[in-house]
């Protein structure tokens, strides 16, 4: 029986794993009774392959939840297939909005132009929440160096009302991510070489110029920088927040 107090559980887990390396946090988290049922949520984006590779080493059968918004770049869909096969990930689950939801909310595929928050909500947040309702915790690739609300990120954090988030890479630096990819000869997302350091849906992602923030190509020119699947204080992110 899991302790119902999320703050208590998160604190206990952070104390337990405070001095562990990322892969050890991941290795132990997938079987720790304080976490319960765990899944990894992955966009198969620019840096996703790091955590996916770690999962392939410690728990290749772990559920990997991939949200296909049906507006992704073709390169992302091909990369997802390539990485899953190369790393022998055996439990990748593709999540999508239903045909009925699309017909009701965005029949002509233009909602992202008039209301990008609503588009993200029904194409990403709602389908993911539906699946995550069956889990006690989920693993993310969030890191402290991404600043803003993530600057004080811990390995384990509460997500009210009933889940925990696990952030194995919380303390990594940008160079740690790149070094891990090089050392393990991991395949890069093909759009990274074309100037896309942060990759989302095709209509809402643009290349980034040298010197720009890596996430500046997401919803460029709009008061928005998060899709909404990450939460602050138990609430879905809406509007402009730090990435």
């Amino acid at each position: 029986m899991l302790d119902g107090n999320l703050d208590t559980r998160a604190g206990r887990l952070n104390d337990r794993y405070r001095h562990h390396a990322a892969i050890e946090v991941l290795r132990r988290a997938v079987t720790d009774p304080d976490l319960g049922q765990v899944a990894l949520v992955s966009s198969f984006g620019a840096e996703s392959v790091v955590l996916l590779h770690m999962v392939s080493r410690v728990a290749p059968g772990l559920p990997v939840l991939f949200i296909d918004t049906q507006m992704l770049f073709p390169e992302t869909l091909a990369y997802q297939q390539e990485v899953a096969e190369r790393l022998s990930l055996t439990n990748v689950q593709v999540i999508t909005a239903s045909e009925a939801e699309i017909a009701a909310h965005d029949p002509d595929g233009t909602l992202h132009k008039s209301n990008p928050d609503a588009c993200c909500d029904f194409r990403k947040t709602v389908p993911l929440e539906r699946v995550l309702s069956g889990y006690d915790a989920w693993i993310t690739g969030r890191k402290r160096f991404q600043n803003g609300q993530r600057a004080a990120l811990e390995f384990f954090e509460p997500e009210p009302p009933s889940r925990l988030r696990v952030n194995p890479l919380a303390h990594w630096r940008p160079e740690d991510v790149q070094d891990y990819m090089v050392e393990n000869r991991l395949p890069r997302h093909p759009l990274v070489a074309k100037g896309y350091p942060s990759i989302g849906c095709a209509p809402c992602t643009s290349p980034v110029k040298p010197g720009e923030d890596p996430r500046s190509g997401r919803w460029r020119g709009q008061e928005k920088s998060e899709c909404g699947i990450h939460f602050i204080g138990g609430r879905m992110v809406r509007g402009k927040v730090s990435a």
Side-chain angles (χ1 to χ4, degrees), residues 2-243:
L2 291 172
D3 185 333
N5 189 305
L6 294 180
D7 289 329
T8 299
R9 267 200 290 145
R12 187 163 60 231
L13 286 160
N14 280 318
D15 287 342
R16 189 178 304 159
Y17 298 122
R18 188 167 306 280
H19 303 295
H20 285 65
I23 194 165
E24 285 304 311
V25 171
L26 182 63
R27 186 193 310 277
R28 294 167 185 266
V30 298
T31 58
D32 194 305
D34 267 337
L35 280 166
Q37 296 296 311
V38 182
L40 167 67
V41 176
S42 179
S43 66
F44 285 80
E47 297 178 348
S48 300
V49 73
V50 170
L51 268 182
L52 291 165
H53 180 261
M54 290 183 180
V55 165
S56 75
R57 292 176 59 187
V58 305
L62 187 77
V64 175
L65 311 181
F66 169 61
I67 309 169
D68 180 1
T69 63
Q70 301 183 54
M71 301 190 84
L72 298 176
F73 288 96
E75 290 90 341
T76 296
L77 298 174
Y79 183 65
Q80 184 266 311
Q81 295 279 342
E82 175 193 356
V83 170
E85 181 176 348
R86 178 163 170 175
L87 299 182
S88 299
L89 298 169
T90 61
N91 195 6
V92 176
Q93 301 175 23
V94 179
I95 301 168
T96 63
S98 69
E99 292 183 5
E101 288 171 322
I102 293 174
H105 298 289
D106 194 15
D108 61 358
T110 60
L111 183 61
H112 66 276
K113 296 180 180 179
S114 61
N115 194 338
D117 279 345
C119 186
C120 287
D121 190 48
F122 96 86
R123 289 183 181 274
K124 298 185 75 171
T125 307
V126 171
L128 178 62
E129 177 58 31
R130 197 155 47 220
V131 176
L132 279 179
S133 64
Y135 293 93
D136 303 301
W138 59 296
I139 300 163
T140 88
R142 296 157 74 233
K143 310 165 192 71
R144 286 186 173 187
F145 72 73
Q146 293 165 322
N147 299 321
Q149 294 287 341
R150 304 180 185 183
L153 197 65
E154 298 287 355
F155 285 138
F156 303 90
E157 60 177 334
E159 181 183 287
S162 59
R163 276 195 301 267
L164 291 177
R165 280 181 292 192
V166 186
N167 310 300
L169 306 182
H171 305 290
W172 277 32
R173 303 165 299 171
E175 53 267 36
D176 296 325
V177 175
Q178 298 305 315
D179 288 348
Y180 188 94
M181 290 186 187
V182 171
E183 290 169 7
N184 291 282
R185 300 180 181 180
L186 299 178
R188 304 295 182 101
H189 193 299
L191 290 178
V192 172
K194 297 180 180 180
Y196 293 82
S198 180
I199 303 160
C201 293
C204 299
T205 308
S206 59
V208 172
K209 297 177 182 178
E212 286 188 309
D213 184 273
R215 286 184 64 87
S216 63
R218 305 290 295 276
W219 304 285
R220 187 182 291 278
Q222 302 181 46
E223 292 297 302
K224 178 178 172 64
S225 63
E226 288 275 1
C227 65
I229 67 170
H230 294 298
F231 298 74
I232 296 174
R235 297 172 53 198
M236 283 186 292
V237 173
R238 285 290 179 267
K240 188 173 183 179
V241 298
S242 297

